[in-house]
Amino acid sequence: MKRHGNLYNKIITFENICEAYRKAALGRRYTYEVLSFRNNLEENLISIQEDLVTRTYQPGPYWTFTLYEPKKRLIYVSPFRDRVVHHAIMNIIEPIWNHLFIYDSYACRKMKGSHDAMYRVVKFFREAKQQWDRVYCLKADVTKFFPSINHHILMEIIERKIKCRDTLDLIRQIVFNAGDESDPDSRNMPIGSLLSQWSANLYLNELDYHIKHQMRVKFYVRYMDDFVLLDGDKSLLHAYKTEITDYLNNRLRLQMNPKSDIYPADRGIDFVGYRIWPSYRLVRKKALVRATKRFKRLSHDYEHGLVDLAHVNSSVMSWFGHCGHAHVLNGKIKCLEALVLRRPTEQTG
């Protein structure tokens, strides 16, 4: 495998750091931290470059918050200055990592979003139906994936493709910012960091290669830590499940979710927010319930002046976009019934 060197001098150019700032600020231009950074933009960008050039850069502490939907997750947020550095790194190494991934690995990559993953499963489902009278599905995911990623194994994977010592040292600083380098079992890639998202995808790329090249599974799609295998032989899928479980445990020190299941695919494949059949898709009931709750919250926040109409419109258009890839109408309309926009001055009583 070719290893890439001489990357650090590309990462630290002022042009690359400016581009990194543009990407980090995209969609967040009017948040407090971006506005504050932009008040002294050139000075801040030069400061980042100087820290990288002199090898004195130190990542700042994360601040955290908890999301409860679709499940409870602790989200880590890096200071904006650090997010610029993450983008500066990924601007240079993204093409290197992207070249490593199999075709059917989705998330983080261009033209490899959740809808692309869903349509790939549709295609595989149709092909499987032509090959077998009855198709079975192994739908699996990893238990507490991001908190379980081992930092030392991750760095070993990264070093197989990158040999630039300064770049590796910079990545190592960021990786172990949420761990302890002296601990061989140091774990946790913070959800919310750009570098974490790409590193997590690279981590499970090891599993992709094992499934595709060692196990030779044809119908396999992965979106981050959720993955689907299809076959006409139920007993073979059980054997696959055992082998994948062993590989995750022994090679990557991960645990397959005990809820991972094998079932007839005609029940519909539950994947990336949809229930999937060869000829149609439905939005998951849980997604409909979450959307209804979200629109109720939006109604409350709009009524009390906490959000503006542009924010409401963005949320509604996002929901329409999600539903637009499924055969759903009544559910979409019913969710919108929860959205009642009324300003405080319009209240009665």
Side-chain angles (χ1 to χ4, degrees):
M1 180 182 290
K2 178 183 177 182
R3 299 177 71 216
H4 293 258
N6 300 318
L7 302 175
Y8 196 73
N9 287 337
K10 299 176 183 177
I11 291 172
I12 65 177
T13 65
F14 192 70
E15 292 75 15
N16 183 53
I17 294 170
C18 288
E19 175 64 10
Y21 159 75
R22 186 190 67 79
K23 290 181 177 179
L26 198 62
R28 301 177 179 86
R29 288 183 300 168
Y30 301 109
T31 61
Y32 172 79
E33 59 180 350
V34 176
L35 288 172
S36 177
F37 190 92
R38 198 168 63 190
N39 280 340
N40 297 290
L41 180 58
E42 186 173 359
E43 179 181 331
N44 286 327
L45 295 178
I46 290 173
S47 173
I48 290 174
Q49 186 185 35
E50 287 179 348
D51 283 356
L52 292 174
V53 168
T54 58
R55 279 66 168 177
T56 56
Y57 167 76
Q58 292 289 332
Y62 296 102
W63 65 272
T64 63
F65 64 94
T66 302
L67 286 180
Y68 293 92
E69 292 184 1
K71 58 185 177 182
K72 185 177 179 180
R73 293 178 298 169
L74 184 63
I75 306 299
Y76 292 74
V77 181
S78 301
F80 182 73
R81 186 177 192 270
D82 290 345
R83 300 206 295 274
V84 173
V85 174
H86 298 173
H87 277 279
I89 296 170
M90 290 311 306
N91 284 347
I92 306 305
I93 67 175
E94 178 180 332
I96 297 171
W97 286 3
N98 194 51
H99 184 69
L100 293 174
F101 298 135
I102 66 169
Y103 184 88
D104 290 311
S105 163
Y106 294 81
C108 301
R109 308 165 63 194
K110 294 176 182 177
M111 307 301 292
K112 295 286 182 178
S114 59
H115 298 138
D116 302 288
M118 181 268 289
Y119 283 116
R120 188 64 169 172
V121 171
V122 171
K123 180 179 183 297
F124 280 169
F125 200 167
R126 290 172 179 170
E127 291 179 6
K129 290 286 284 184
Q130 293 174 352
Q131 187 169 339
W132 297 295
D133 293 333
R134 192 167 197 188
V135 179
Y136 294 91
C137 171
L138 166 56
K139 169 63 175 63
D141 65 289
V142 177
T143 299
K144 297 181 179 179
F145 174 48
F146 279 85
S148 300
I149 293 175
N150 182 282
H151 296 148
H152 293 280
I153 295 175
L154 174 62
M155 288 307 304
E156 172 199 320
I157 294 169
I158 292 172
E159 287 173 12
R160 277 197 244 128
K161 196 63 180 176
I162 295 175
K163 64 181 179 181
C164 175
R165 184 51 51 191
D166 288 329
T167 300
L168 289 172
D169 288 344
L170 178 59
I171 294 173
R172 185 176 290 104
Q173 274 188 299
I174 297 169
V175 166
F176 284 100
N177 192 34
D180 179 1
E181 192 168 358
S182 64
D183 179 5
D185 198 39
S186 178
R187 296 170 182 259
N188 189 19
M189 287 302 292
I191 301 176
S193 160
L194 175 69
L195 193 61
S196 292
Q197 298 288 328
W198 275 91
S199 297
N201 214 3
L202 188 69
Y203 201 82
L204 281 185
N205 185 55
E206 302 290 295
L207 176 66
D208 296 340
Y209 269 76
H210 183 77
I211 291 175
K212 294 299 291 185
H213 299 292
Q214 300 300 320
M215 297 168 58
R216 298 188 178 279
V217 177
K218 179 179 180 182
F219 300 127
Y220 166 74
V221 177
R222 178 175 66 82
Y223 184 87
M224 197 48 73
D225 67 313
D226 291 305
F227 52 95
V228 167
L229 289 79
L230 301 178
D231 201 275
D233 186 340
K234 188 176 182 180
S235 62
L236 183 59
L237 285 179
H238 278 287
Y240 286 163
K241 183 179 180 182
T242 299
E243 183 169 348
I244 292 169
T245 299
D246 290 344
Y247 186 86
L248 287 172
N249 291 347
N250 299 328
R251 171 68 184 101
L252 300 176
R253 301 184 195 174
L254 299 173
Q255 301 290 324
M256 185 185 289
N257 191 327
K259 294 182 179 179
S260 300
D261 194 19
I262 296 170
Y263 56 87
D266 285 341
R267 283 170 32 186
I269 299 171
D270 190 347
F271 192 55
V272 292
Y274 299 93
R275 290 185 67 198
I276 302 167
W277 288 268
S279 57
Y280 66 101
R281 282 84 56 198
L282 296 178
V283 175
R284 295 178 65 199
K285 289 182 180 179
K286 289 182 180 179
L288 295 173
V289 172
R290 287 199 301 271
T292 300
K293 291 180 179 178
R294 183 168 73 251
F295 288 142
K296 285 181 179 178
R297 285 198 304 270
L298 275 175
S299 299
H300 172 273
D301 291 348
Y302 183 79
E303 182 177 353
H304 291 82
L306 301 176
V307 298
D308 59 16
L309 195 58
H311 180 85
V312 174
N313 184 65
S314 175
S315 185
V316 171
M317 289 301 102
S318 175
W319 173 242
F320 278 5
H322 185 69
C323 292
H325 294 271
H327 300 82
V328 57
L329 178 59
N330 292 339
K332 178 170 69 173
I333 294 173
K334 191 169 183 62
C335 289
L336 286 175
E337 290 176 356
L339 184 65
V340 180
L341 300 182
R342 185 175 63 177
R343 282 297 190 186
T345 54
E346 297 171 349
Q347 297 182 53
T348 59

